[in-house]
Amino acid sequence: MARNRKEPPLLEKVTITDVAAEGKAIAKVNDLVIFVPYVVPGDVVDLQIKRKKHHYAEAVAVKFHEYSRERAVPFCQHYGVCGGCKWQVLPYSEQIKYKQKQVTDNLTRIGKIELPEISPILGSEKTQFYRNKLEYTFSNKRWLTEEEVKQNVVYDQMNAVGFHIPNAFDKVLAIEKCWLQDDISNRIRNAVRDYAYEHDYSFINLRTQEGMLRNMIIRTSTTGELMVILVAKIEEEERELQLFKQLLQYVADTFPEITSLLYIINNKRNDTITDLDVHTFKGKDHIFEEMEGLRFKIGPKSFYQTNSEQAYNLYKIARNFAGLTGKELVYDLYTGTGTIANFVSKQARQVIGIEYVPEAIEDAKVNAEINGIENTLFFAGDMKDMLTQDFINQYGRPDVIITDPPRAGMHQDVVDVILFAEPKRIVYVSCNPATQARDLQLLDVKYKVKAVQPVDMFPHTHHVENVVLLELRNED
């Protein structure tokens, strides 16, 4: 006999009071913290509890009694379904305010160290069409919204190209217009979709791995160059490859502004392309980004900050914090494709970049060569294995360390070697102020935080970059 499931509680007329991580907002009921998506502080709502733990709960708003004065009207038709840009309901001025608070709270509550006054966050001039890279997924399982299900909408075409639905890896929301990247991205995606529909191309089944079309990546740059990468599963090479190349030819003919049209054959069960060959169908196998006269080569697998204009502002802040005079040895940790290393090289005696991904290091070397930079050295390897006391003894004690680690922050071994090296200044760039705060506490034994500059790279999301300058305490 089946047990009757207890209905989760409905909480009525609850006021949303704050903003939390991951783009959610916060309400409190009898000391219970409740996380709620797609609401803003000041909203008064009925909450349906979806999941309850000892100290917190997750809920959705099922009815609005009052709308907050801080609320904005979402500009995207896919808002609330695709899972991205969750803060569209907040005016940008309010987004900036909460991101500033996020940085302050993390550094003070987690770091628990002496801090200077935190500079006002540097907002993004563009809040729409600011990204230089998007990846779309093809799927034969189109996601239907709650409204479509309630209205019994029947689609003749259940194939879709767009974005994965959160927590549903095999379902894809069909995107009509995305406001993140230049509108050329929308036109290319929709043209490929319509051509595939008209000519009966198969879209991948993400569970069974059957079907041809898998992914499409579009990269733009401030130089006006445009890269499109189409990824397909090809089993019958003669027939399917010919069919796939007909699609590529259609894209080339329809969009002559594409300067790099590439394709990848992916017959694996995952979407990663780092281990796959890239084929050039039209144009070059790369595009360029420019910054202060420097040219950065970007290939299909290259990492580059996705908001080009804010990346420039971020790097200028990092360079300014470094206080270079032309005499310094600089270590650039987690250098990626060497963008920061090459960007600061004119003001340094030498820059040494270290990065885990070998392909990224090869890009860094190419970028140095393209720009005639001769005072950089790049090394590939796991940071905790590469940055050792022996490495420092061989290549010299850095005067300045610039570090831009992944979201997880720096490994304890890396922190220990930095403390051993005792650079005069550390410039810590982070996309996660929480792990940054933890690392700052570890560095606090020898270093004092002298400046903090948050930078907003991704409008309408909760993410924020933060640049911190640390100086040796005996340099005070």
Side-chain angles (χ1 to χ4, degrees):
M1 183 175 177
R3 288 186 294 177
N4 291 328
R5 271 192 170 181
K6 187 178 180 181
E7 282 292 317
L10 178 70
L11 306 176
E12 298 182 334
K13 293 188 176 181
V14 177
T15 300
I16 305 300
T17 57
D18 204 349
V19 167
E22 304 303 322
K24 295 178 181 178
I26 293 176
K28 287 187 179 179
V29 177
N30 298 328
D31 295 327
L32 179 68
V33 176
I34 306 171
F35 297 99
V36 191
Y38 307 118
V39 292
V40 301
D43 285 342
V44 180
V45 295
D46 290 348
L47 294 178
Q48 181 68 65
I49 299 294
K50 292 295 185 180
R51 192 165 70 126
K52 189 174 184 297
K53 298 291 185 179
H54 290 298
H55 303 295
Y56 73 93
E58 295 179 4
V60 294
V62 293
K63 181 179 179 180
F64 284 79
H65 293 278
E66 294 179 30
Y67 287 107
S68 170
R69 294 179 186 175
E70 295 179 357
R71 177 172 279 271
V73 178
F75 50 82
C76 178
Q77 69 192 79
H78 305 296
Y79 174 78
V81 183
C82 102
C85 305
K86 291 179 181 177
W87 280 8
Q88 283 185 37
V89 283
L90 271 176
Y92 190 57
S93 59
E94 293 298 313
Q95 295 179 34
I96 292 293
K97 182 177 79 173
Y98 283 110
K99 289 183 180 183
Q100 183 87 25
K101 183 175 181 291
Q102 177 186 339
V103 170
T104 303
D105 287 351
N106 279 307
L107 295 190
T108 54
R109 293 180 184 179
I110 299 174
K112 296 178 181 177
I113 56 177
E114 183 182 354
L115 293 169
E117 183 178 352
I118 298 175
S119 298
I121 190 170
L122 180 64
S124 178
E125 187 173 327
K126 287 184 178 178
T127 59
Q128 298 173 356
F129 304 126
Y130 62 84
R131 285 185 67 102
N132 56 40
K133 179 185 177 184
L134 278 182
E135 180 170 349
Y136 300 106
T137 299
F138 294 85
S139 173
N140 72 338
K141 292 186 181 296
R142 176 185 183 134
W143 176 262
L144 298 179
T145 65
E146 286 186 20
E147 288 73 19
E148 290 170 332
V149 172
K150 288 176 183 176
Q151 296 169 12
N152 294 317
V153 174
V154 177
Y155 287 97
D156 296 331
Q157 181 60 260
M158 285 301 291
N159 289 329
V161 55
F163 299 130
H164 283 280
I165 288 293
N167 304 316
F169 82 93
D170 63 329
K171 301 291 197 309
V172 167
L173 178 68
I175 296 296
E176 188 62 36
K177 179 170 183 175
C178 177
W179 294 76
L180 286 174
Q181 193 175 29
D182 187 284
D183 201 51
I184 185 66
S185 178
N186 289 311
R187 298 200 303 273
I188 292 172
R189 183 198 60 250
N190 291 346
V192 169
R193 174 201 66 196
D194 294 345
Y195 183 91
Y197 285 173
E198 183 181 347
H199 294 84
D200 200 27
Y201 281 68
S202 60
F203 287 32
I204 196 82
N205 181 312
L206 294 167
R207 285 189 179 273
T208 67
Q209 291 294 301
E210 298 171 317
M212 178 190 288
L213 299 181
R214 296 190 65 135
N215 304 96
M216 177 165 53
I217 302 166
I218 300 178
R219 305 187 78 146
T220 58
S221 77
T222 57
T223 63
E225 293 174 283
L226 176 62
M227 175 185 288
V228 176
I229 311 162
L230 278 164
V231 186
K233 181 178 183 181
I234 303 294
E235 292 185 320
E236 300 175 28
E237 187 165 326
E238 187 173 335
R239 185 185 67 85
E240 290 185 344
L241 187 57
Q242 182 181 4
L243 196 63
F244 184 43
K245 287 187 175 180
Q246 288 173 5
L247 171 59
L248 288 161
Q249 190 61 56
Y250 166 76
V251 174
D253 293 340
T254 308
F255 298 97
E257 56 266 62
I258 295 174
T259 56
S260 175
L261 180 56
L262 312 175
Y263 70 93
I264 297 172
I265 307 302
N266 181 8
N267 292 339
K268 303 182 302 174
R269 294 189 66 85
N270 63 67
D271 289 336
T272 58
I273 64 170
T274 53
D275 57 340
L276 298 174
D277 293 331
V278 181
H279 307 276
T280 303
F281 186 83
K282 173 202 168 184
K284 303 175 295 183
D285 63 355
H286 60 274
I287 58 177
F288 281 102
E289 188 57 82
E290 287 188 356
M291 197 179 290
E292 283 191 358
L294 297 175
R295 288 166 60 80
F296 297 98
K297 183 181 178 182
I298 299 171
K301 302 176 186 178
S302 299
F303 170 79
Y304 194 84
Q305 286 280 3
T306 51
N307 185 338
S308 298
E309 294 178 16
Q310 279 295 80
Y312 178 41
N313 290 324
L314 183 76
Y315 298 156
K316 283 192 293 184
I317 292 166
R319 184 177 61 191
N320 181 54
F321 277 8
L324 302 177
T325 65
K327 299 177 181 179
E328 293 82 5
L329 172 62
V330 179
Y331 280 18
D332 181 25
L333 310 185
Y334 312 93
T335 190
T337 56
T339 311
I340 292 180
N342 287 317
F343 185 73
V344 304
S345 62
K346 285 184 180 180
Q347 286 78 32
R349 172 170 57 85
Q350 186 176 50
V351 184
I352 295 175
I354 306 174
E355 166 61 40
Y356 175 73
V357 182
E359 292 85 359
I361 286 298
E362 291 309 309
D363 284 343
K365 292 176 180 177
V366 168
N367 284 327
E369 185 179 351
I370 288 171
N371 292 286
I373 296 170
E374 298 180 346
N375 63 334
T376 55
L377 289 174
F378 293 102
F379 298 90
D382 191 304
M383 189 62 63
K384 64 180 175 59
D385 299 327
M386 291 295 298
L387 188 69
T388 62
Q389 293 185 17
D390 287 343
F391 184 94
I392 288 172
N393 290 335
Q394 181 177 353
Y395 292 99
R397 287 180 178 267
D399 300 293
V400 177
I401 285 181
I402 300 173
T403 181
D404 186 3
R407 291 190 63 78
M410 296 191 295
H411 192 279
Q412 178 69 56
D413 292 350
V414 176
V415 174
D416 290 342
V417 176
I418 290 174
L419 292 172
F420 163 78
E422 290 191 338
K424 295 176 183 177
R425 288 180 295 281
I426 301 169
V427 181
Y428 191 149
V429 182
S430 173
C431 60
N432 186 346
T435 55
Q436 183 184 44
R438 177 204 67 203
D439 293 346
L440 294 179
Q441 188 178 48
L442 297 174
L443 293 166
D444 188 56
V445 294
K446 285 189 177 181
Y447 287 88
K448 182 177 181 180
V449 175
K450 301 294 288 187
V452 180
Q453 177 61 72
V455 181
D456 184 28
M457 301 288 288
F458 307 107
H460 312 304
T461 76
H462 66 282
H463 298 290
V464 60
E465 294 269 347
N466 194 43
V467 191
V468 173
L469 169 64
L470 303 100
E471 290 185 354
L472 266 176
R473 290 190 178 277
N474 60 13
E475 295 291 311
D476 286 350

